Amino acid sequence: MKLEKAMIERRSIRGFKDEPVSKSILEDVIALANRAPSSMNTQPWHLHVLTGKPLEAVRHGNTERMLAGMTPVREIEDYAAYEGEHRKRQIEIAVQLFEAMGIKREDAERRQDWVMRGFRQFDAPVSIVVCFDRSLLENTIAHFDTGAMTYGLVLAAWSKGLGAVINGQGIMQSPVVREAANIPEDQVILTCVALGWPDEEFVANSVVSRRRPIENVTRYLGFEE
């Protein structure tokens, strides 16, 4: 697949077929993502690829703790609530998804189930836990670099016919993830990526988030008219 096609067509996939993803395909995807740029070639990232029993342990632990009302525990500084235009865009994509799924505003049960899907890693056959070196915890460039690699990960997956969604919900109970994946203490859990073969019958997979026009996000200086 050409890069331009992959970048334009890629979208977040939240419904997956009940089919395994081979280790060889995942190795190809990760090899591509591993070419991501990083500050002075520091390459601070680490990936833990879960399927089968370890992934089921994460699903179970996340679900159990969240339903019990336990406060989320992240290993990175939590972000404040979005406001203004950022909040509007957050709401807009939620509305798009709920409309596609036919979930009414007053349907508390289905809305709750949708939220819990994220903590279950969207029932994907694979979850890739993305970490970086703890020695760089205060180095925000390391967060940036690991984010660049994560975008490379979902883009490479798409190029191989796989679907993925970057899933912050999946690590909101980080102690569960750390234990199930046996993640070394010298690594910080940043996020995870739910990954698998897209279920084309899952209607939310057809949702494409709206993007701002480039003239709203870009300035050109010093160019001749």
Side-chain angles (χ1 to χ4, degrees):
M1 182 182 291
K2 290 185 177 180
L3 177 62
E4 181 179 3
K5 179 179 174 65
M7 293 182 73
I8 291 173
E9 294 184 356
R10 185 212 64 81
R11 60 190 183 276
S12 293
I13 297 299
R14 299 175 175 88
F16 302 89
K17 294 180 180 179
D18 185 19
E19 296 179 8
V21 180
S22 71
K23 185 178 178 183
S24 62
I25 292 177
L26 292 168
E27 287 173 337
D28 290 344
V29 167
I30 292 168
L32 288 171
N34 199 48
R35 296 299 306 168
S38 62
S39 176
M40 294 174 282
N41 197 36
T42 48
Q43 303 179 54
W45 51 76
H46 301 272
L47 303 177
H48 303 269
V49 187
L50 280 62
T51 193
K53 289 183 178 179
L55 181 51
E56 287 303 318
V58 170
R59 288 195 230 278
H60 176 76
N62 280 351
T63 300
E64 188 176 60
R65 288 169 68 112
M66 294 308 297
L67 289 177
M70 295 185 68
T71 302
V73 180
R74 294 174 181 263
E75 297 188 355
I76 56 172
E77 184 176 351
D78 203 357
Y79 50 78
Y82 290 117
E83 298 178 354
E85 291 300 315
H86 304 103
R87 177 61 175 162
K88 288 180 182 178
R89 287 194 284 273
Q90 184 185 34
I91 292 172
E92 182 182 51
I93 187 61
V95 169
Q96 284 183 262
L97 289 165
F98 284 176
E99 286 181 349
M101 295 293 293
I103 301 175
K104 304 296 184 183
R105 186 176 183 85
E106 64 275 11
D107 193 340
E109 184 177 348
R110 290 193 68 196
R111 290 170 72 92
Q112 172 74 357
D113 179 68
W114 180 263
V115 170
M116 294 309 299
R117 286 179 58 82
F119 297 112
R120 297 198 311 266
Q121 314 280 332
F122 293 95
D123 301 322
V126 174
S127 176
I128 302 179
V129 183
V130 180
C131 303
F132 63 91
D133 292 310
R134 186 174 296 278
S135 62
L136 299 174
L137 179 59
E138 303 301 322
N139 184 324
T140 54
I141 295 177
H143 298 224
F144 177 90
D145 291 342
T146 308
M149 185 282 304
T150 305
Y151 176 51
L153 195 64
V154 298
L155 198 60
W158 190 264
S159 76
K160 301 292 185 181
L162 291 163
V165 59
I166 299 172
N167 180 26
Q169 284 176 289
I171 55 88
M172 283 178 67
Q173 295 292 348
S174 286
V176 169
V177 180
R178 179 172 292 280
E179 180 179 359
N182 194 25
I183 296 173
E185 289 296 330
D186 62 358
Q187 297 177 21
V188 174
I189 298 173
L190 178 63
T191 192
C192 69
V193 176
L195 184 149
W197 302 109
D199 180 356
E200 300 300 337
E201 296 183 2
F202 190 77
V203 293
N205 285 346
S206 65
V207 171
V208 179
S209 59
R210 302 183 184 102
R211 299 300 164 125
R212 291 178 289 168
I214 62 170
E215 57 266 25
N216 290 10
V217 300
T218 311
R219 293 177 64 225
Y220 296 96
L221 292 83
F223 292 86
E224 294 181 4
E225 294 296 333

